[in-house]
C-alpha cells in the first residue's frame, strides 16, 4: 500500500475517469467491499443475472443478503435483460449487480434509469471490462460502484488483484476503511512513522494489494489499449471465418459495440442438438483449450433453492450452447485459423453423429 499502489490507483483513476479508485486483492474482494460499502446485509435482496461468475452471488450471500437471479436477453446478447431485471425487483431490493459480459456493455441506460426510479444501487461487475466504454464512459464508472479483476486471465493480468471505483465520496471512504481492517490510519502512514496509533471503527478485512503486484498492474495497464486492439483483431477473424457457418453464431453485434468492447472472451454459440462436451473433447485432443463462461449460478447445488425460483428461459437456452474459444493478445492469426479448423471439423463430426442417431 505504498507509492506503487498509489501510482496504480492514480493511473486507473485517470484512465477510467473515476474520482476514486482503490486497489484490492481480487475482483471478489472488490464485489464484497462494494456490497458492504452500500450497506447490503440481512433482509436485503440483490438482483443479478445468473449467467455470471459465481463470485458475485457468493459475495451477496456472505454479506447476509439474498441473491435473486434474473435472465439475459438471449443468444444475440448475453447481458442482463432489463425487463426481467425490473420484474425481479421487490420491496427489499437494495442493489443490482450487472455484468458486462465479455467486455460488452450491458444496457446501462435502462439499468440506471430503473435503479434511480426505485432507489436501488448499481454495482457494475466490470471484471471483463477494462478499456471498454459505454456512451464514451469507461465501464465500471456508470453505476454506483464498479468492480474489476486483475486475475491471470483478465485484460490487466497480474496473478491476483482487483480495483473498486466510485464517484461517491462516502462510499469511497467506507471502501477504504473496510479494505484494511476498519483502521483509521493507513498501513503506509504507519510504516512511514506518520501515525503510531489507530482506532478500528468497523470490522473490516485485509483486502489490500501489495507493491509488487501494483507495479505489475501499472505496467499491464499501459499495455491495455494495444492488448485490447489485438483481442479485437482475433475476435473479428473468428467472426469472419465462423459466424453463420455450420449453425454457429456470435452474441453481440454491430460495429460500435465491437469497437467499444474489451473483448475479454471469444464466445461462440453452438447449434442446438450437438454435444458441447463432444466438441470440447475433440478440441482438447488437438491441444486446443476451450472453456464455458459460465455454468449459470442457479444450477449450482449451493444456489438450487427449492421453492420460488424465477424462470430463466434465455439463460437456460444459451447455457448449454456457449463455448469460449482461445483468446489472448499475443496469439497469431495462424493460431486463430488452427482453432477455426479444429472447431469446424469437430462440429461436422458431432452433427453427423447426431444425424445418424
Ligand atoms: C465476471 C467476474 N466477476 C468476478 C470475478 C472475480 O474476480 P477474482 O478472480 O479476481 O476474484 C471474475 C474472475 O474470476 C469474473 O470473471
Amino acid at each position: 500500500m505504498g507509492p506503487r499502489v498509489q501510482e496504480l490507483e492514480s493511473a486507473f483513476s485517470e484512465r477510467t475517469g473515476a474520482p476514486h479508485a482503490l486497489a484490492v486483492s481480487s475482483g471478489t474482494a472488490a464485489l464484497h467491499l462494494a456490497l458492504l460499502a452500500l450497506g447490503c446485509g440481512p433482509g436485503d435482496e440483490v438482483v443479478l443475472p445468473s449467467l455470471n461468475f459465481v463470485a458475485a452471488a457468493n459475495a451477496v450471500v456472505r454479506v447476509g443478503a439474498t441473491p435473486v437471479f434474473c435472465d439475459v436477453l438471449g443468444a444475440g446478447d448475453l447481458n442482463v435483460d432489463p425487463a426481467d431485471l425490473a420484474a425481479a425487483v421487490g420491496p427489499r431490493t437494495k442493489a443490482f449487480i450487472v455484468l458486462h459480459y465479455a467486455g460488452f456493455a450491458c444496457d446501462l441506460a435502462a439499468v440506471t434509469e430503473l435503479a434511480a426510479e426505485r432507489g436501488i444501487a448499481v454495482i457494475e461487475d466490470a471484471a471483463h471490462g477494462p478499456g471498454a466504454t459505454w456512451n464514451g464512459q469507461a465501464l465500471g464508472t456508470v453505476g454506483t460502484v464498479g468492480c474489476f479483476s486483475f486475475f491471470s486471465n483478465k485484460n490487466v493480468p497480474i496473478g491476483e488483484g482487483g480495483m473498486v471505483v466510485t464517484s461517491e465520496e462516502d462510499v469511497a471512504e467506507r471502501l477504504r476503511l473496510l479494505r484494511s481492517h476498519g483502521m483509521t490510519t493507513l498501513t503506509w502512514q504507519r510504516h512511514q512513522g506518520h501515525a503510531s496509533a489507530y482506532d478500528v471503527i468497523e470490522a473490516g478485512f485485509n483486502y489490500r494489494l501489495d507493491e509488487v503486484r501494483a507495479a505489475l498492474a501499472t505496467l499491464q495497464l499501459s499495455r491495455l489499449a494495444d492488448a485490447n486492439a489485438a483481442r479485437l483483431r482475433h475476435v473479428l477473424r473468428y467472426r469472419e471465418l465462423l459466424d453463420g457457418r455450420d449453425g454457429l453464431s456470435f452474441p453481440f453485434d454491430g460495429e460500435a459495440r465491437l469497437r467499444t468492447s474489451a473483448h475479454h472472451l471469444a464466445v461462440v454459440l453452438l447449434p442446438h442438438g450437438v454435444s458441447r462436451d463432444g466438441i470440447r473433447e475433440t478440441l482438447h485432443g488437438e491441444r486446443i483449450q476451450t472453456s464455458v463462461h459460465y455454468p449459470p449460478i442457479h444450477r449450482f447445488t449451493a444456489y438450487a433453492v427449492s421453492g420460488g425460483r424465477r424462470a430463466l428461459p434465455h439463460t437456460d437456452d444459451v447455457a448449454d450452447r456457449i463455448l469460449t474459444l482461445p483468446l489472448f493478445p499475443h496469439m497469431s492469426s495462424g493460431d486463430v485459423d488452427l482453432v477455426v479448423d479444429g472447431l469446424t471439423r469437430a462440429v461436422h463430426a458431432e452433427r453427423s453423429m447426431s444425424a445418424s442417431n
Side-chain angles (χ1 to χ4, degrees), residues 51-53 78 99 101 128 153-154 264-267 276 290-296 319 322-325:
L51 193 67
N52 189 356
F53 185 53
L78 300 176
L99 172 67
Y101 187 100
H128 300 175
N153 64 5
K154 295 294 190 287
H264 173 55
L265 304 170
V267 173
R276 179 175 60 193
T290 58
S291 186
V292 174
H293 293 85
Y294 293 92
I322 44 180
L323 178 70
T324 305
L325 304 176

Side-chain angles (χ1 to χ4, degrees), residues 19 21-22 30 62 98 114 122 124 126 159 179 191 197 206 221 277 288 294 307 310 312 337 348:
L22 289 99
R62 287 301 166 204
V98 291
L114 173 66
V122 176
E124 292 179 69
R179 172 177 61 172
H191 181 71
N206 173 4
L221 198 59
D277 286 348
I288 295 172
Y294 293 92
R310 306 185 67 253
L312 305 171
D337 293 355
H348 284 174

Side-chain angles (χ1 to χ4, degrees), residues 177 180-184 198-204:
L177 201 65
S180 192
H181 303 292
M183 291 158 87
T184 52
Y198 58 83
D199 192 11
V200 173
I201 54 176
E202 192 168 354

Side-chain angles (χ1 to χ4, degrees), residues 26-28 31 52-53 55 99 125 127-128 149 151 154 160-161 294:
S26 71
T28 306
L31 288 162
N52 189 356
F53 185 53
L99 172 67
D125 184 339
H128 300 175
S149 165
F151 181 63
K154 295 294 190 287
E160 299 279 4
Y294 293 92

Side-chain angles (χ1 to χ4, degrees), residues 49 61 68 92 95 106 108 143 162 173 178 207-208 210 212 246 326 354 356-357:
V61 170
V68 175
R92 299 190 305 165
C106 72
L108 281 166
E173 213 32 62
L178 292 166
Y207 279 164
R208 299 183 302 257
D210 58 275
V212 178
D246 301 310
S354 60
S356 63
N357 280 342

